[in-house]
Amino acid sequence: MLSQQDIEQAVALSRLWADRSPDRILFERSELEPELKRQVALQVSLLPKMQRKVPHFIQGGGYVPHRVNFEQSSSELTARYKQQFVTEHDRVLDMTGGMGIDALAMASIAERSLIYEIDPVMAQALTYNVHKLLQRDNVTVRCGDALAEMDASTLEGITLVYADPARRDMDDRNKRLISMDEYSPAPLQIIARLQELGYAGRLLLKLSPMLDIHWILEQLPQASALHIVQVQDEVKELLVAISMAPQEANVALHLALVDRLGEVSRWSFPYEALSSVRTPYATSVEEYIHIPQPLLMKSGAYHLIAQEQSLSLLGPNSHIYTSSQASTSPLYKSYRLIEEIDYSKSTLRGKSLHSLRQRYPALTIMSRHFPLTAQELKKTLRTDESDTYYLLATTLGEQARKLLILSSC
């Protein structure tokens, strides 16, 4: 394990040698110790990703001890989103410090923060980053297992507990864990231990975006709110807010769409409202086509939002919508219909295929609820990718196969 002085040197040299290749740093002769040399090369290799994911680390001289921990950590954009759960009067217990991206964001607002990290190397790095990047004396880092070490004195004065359980096998970092029971620490174990200690404050859990939200809410009946966070085109996080004090409030579902500048678009509604809404089916393809963003699909709120936007569903299995008027909702990627082609096997043969290629030499191809995949269609059409024109292969109703030529709205 590197000393504090070695860490500072690794960070300084990585910025100084940012234009060198990691291999050159590793294999050229130098007076650096092998482990220090490896850490300098690691920092240099991660600098471009740091700039995109955690730019404050670049600016402030942050340190990353392991590549896998960096890859699995929150981005600054999602960490900033979590600041809404913290006030200046909160005392925060972070059970799973990790890289500290979330911990630093929360500690920058909270009155005090106590951060646990089970891995000694990560705990050392976290301590360094807290002092280097935060420059506040209201944060304590402890190396240890929070679940095992936590007692009533640990929770004294704590108003918010945060946990981002490890979702990978400790023996095989490439293996993702699917069940919450396999997480470390397991969410139900966290809740049980907090209840045992009489904790009556708030709990915030970060869970895998792969989990089904209906199943999550069945497993965690104490949940008061669930946040689905999408950054650009990908759902990055599910956040479950839990009040440890008994309550009977309905679960609130929050959708957050974060753009590359960190601007957040938000939608909120009661989870129970999803079960009472159905979207009418379209009898024809109208002028506009709308495809739900990933966070809308994850939430299951597509019928609710479609009803608000006066959209009709093209088919029972496609989750593609149509309307006669444009939709301004960022919850959809919307397109304008240029041409509607009835599909049969002859459509992509002979003169018909040749004519289609001539009219649209460049198309980005999408396939939803259609017998051919986008890759198969692309192989047949042999068209270039386009930022302007799209081909959507889908089904209207149960059987009417369609090739829809679209342009961006």
Side-chain angles (χ1 to χ4, degrees):
M1 193 161 65
L2 297 181
S3 67
Q4 186 81 1
Q5 184 178 356
D6 287 337
I7 291 175
E8 292 176 355
Q9 187 178 4
V11 171
L13 287 175
S14 68
R15 275 49 169 185
L16 183 65
W17 295 346
D19 58 344
R20 299 189 187 185
S21 74
D23 285 346
R24 177 186 171 189
I25 295 169
L26 281 172
F27 298 115
E28 73 178 358
R29 290 185 178 182
S30 77
E31 296 180 356
L32 297 179
E33 293 294 326
E35 181 56 28
L36 178 56
K37 191 185 291 187
R38 280 193 290 272
Q39 284 300 316
V40 175
L42 173 63
Q43 306 310 301
V44 169
S45 70
L46 290 176
L47 286 177
K49 289 185 177 180
M50 279 193 219
Q51 186 61 54
R52 293 191 299 272
K53 188 173 184 178
V54 284
H56 189 46
F57 266 51
I58 295 285
Q59 298 154 11
Y63 168 64
V64 178
H66 299 304
R67 182 182 299 275
V68 66
N69 296 92
F70 175 80
E71 299 290 354
Q72 295 170 17
S73 70
S74 297
S75 67
E76 283 185 17
L77 291 178
T78 56
R80 213 156 35 228
Y81 181 82
K82 298 182 188 75
Q83 289 179 324
Q84 69 184 284
F85 299 98
V86 186
T87 73
E88 61 184 7
H89 304 296
D90 274 320
R91 295 194 170 195
V92 178
L93 168 61
D94 187 327
M95 297 180 64
T96 52
M99 279 287 302
I101 312 300
D102 290 335
L104 288 167
M106 293 182 177
S108 68
I109 294 176
E111 180 183 325
R112 296 202 63 82
S113 289
L114 170 60
I115 308 169
Y116 274 88
E117 170 50 45
I118 196 169
D119 179 84
V121 173
M122 290 299 298
Q124 182 195 40
L126 182 53
T127 302
Y128 170 85
N129 287 327
V130 164
H131 292 300
K132 187 75 174 177
L133 302 175
L134 198 59
Q135 297 180 352
R136 295 180 70 185
D137 59 2
N138 66 335
V139 183
T140 302
V141 178
R142 291 181 185 172
C143 181
D145 183 341
L147 189 63
E149 297 181 12
M150 186 167 56
D151 57 22
S153 64
T154 310
L155 290 170
E156 188 174 345
I158 295 295
T159 56
L160 174 64
V161 175
Y162 173 67
D164 175 12
R167 300 189 293 274
R168 290 182 184 265
D169 192 318
M170 299 301 289
D171 298 321
D172 181 2
R173 293 286 185 172
N174 294 318
K175 180 183 177 184
R176 292 187 181 184
L177 303 176
I178 304 300
S179 170
M180 280 199 301
D181 292 337
E182 299 177 291
Y183 289 5
S184 179
L188 292 178
Q189 289 181 333
I190 294 173
I191 293 172
R193 182 58 178 157
L194 291 174
Q195 289 175 330
E196 182 184 334
L197 294 172
Y199 176 68
R202 291 131 53 218
L203 169 64
L204 182 64
L205 296 173
K206 175 182 168 184
L207 303 178
S208 167
M210 303 298 291
L211 294 177
D212 176 75
I213 65 168
H214 179 70
W215 182 83
I216 290 174
L217 296 177
E218 282 186 339
Q219 295 293 306
L220 303 174
Q222 306 91 338
S224 59
L226 190 148
H227 295 247
I228 303 174
V229 184
Q230 176 178 327
V231 179
Q232 297 183 46
D233 291 326
E234 185 180 355
V235 174
K236 290 292 188 179
E237 296 185 357
L238 297 183
L239 302 171
V240 183
I242 293 172
S243 175
M244 300 302 295
Q247 59 171 13
E248 294 185 2
N250 293 324
V251 177
L253 197 55
H254 302 276
L255 309 187
L257 190 59
V258 186
D259 68 19
R260 65 185 64 192
L261 299 177
E263 295 296 321
V264 183
S265 301
R266 305 170 188 266
W267 299 264
S268 300
F269 34 82
Y271 178 70
E272 64 180 11
L274 306 190
S275 60
S276 59
V277 183
R278 290 293 178 267
T279 308
Y281 289 115
T283 56
S284 63
V285 182
E286 299 188 86
E287 186 174 357
Y288 294 93
I289 296 293
H290 315 280
I291 299 177
Q293 291 274 15
L295 84 166
L296 184 53
M297 291 300 297
K298 169 59 69 174
S299 72
Y302 28 78
H303 290 312
L304 182 66
I305 304 300
Q307 185 183 66
E308 291 178 358
Q309 294 287 312
S310 300
L311 310 182
S312 300
L313 191 59
L314 277 186
N317 300 304
S318 63
H319 288 298
I320 295 175
Y321 300 83
T322 189
S323 66
S324 59
Q325 302 292 324
S327 170
T328 57
S329 174
L331 287 171
Y332 297 92
K333 289 186 176 180
S334 294
Y335 307 86
R336 188 165 188 167
L337 180 67
I338 297 175
E339 184 178 353
E340 177 183 344
I341 303 169
D342 293 327
Y343 172 79
S344 67
K345 290 185 178 180
S346 62
T347 307
L348 297 180
R349 293 177 182 171
K351 292 181 179 179
S352 296
L353 177 58
H354 180 69
S355 175
L356 185 59
R357 284 175 180 161
Q358 281 191 319
R359 297 197 306 278
Y360 308 105
L363 287 167
T364 293
I365 298 172
M366 302 177 285
S367 178
R368 303 283 194 281
H369 189 43
F370 194 79
L372 299 176
T373 65
Q375 193 60 37
E376 289 169 332
L377 288 166
K378 186 174 182 178
K379 185 177 179 180
T380 300
L381 287 165
R382 290 181 291 176
T383 58
D384 296 326
E385 291 286 319
S386 172
D387 293 328
T388 307
Y389 296 106
Y390 303 81
L391 182 149
L392 172 60
T394 190
T395 303
L396 174 62
E398 294 284 358
Q399 296 181 333
R401 312 292 189 200
K402 300 285 185 179
L403 300 182
L404 305 179
I405 308 299
L406 312 171
S407 66
S408 297
C409 286

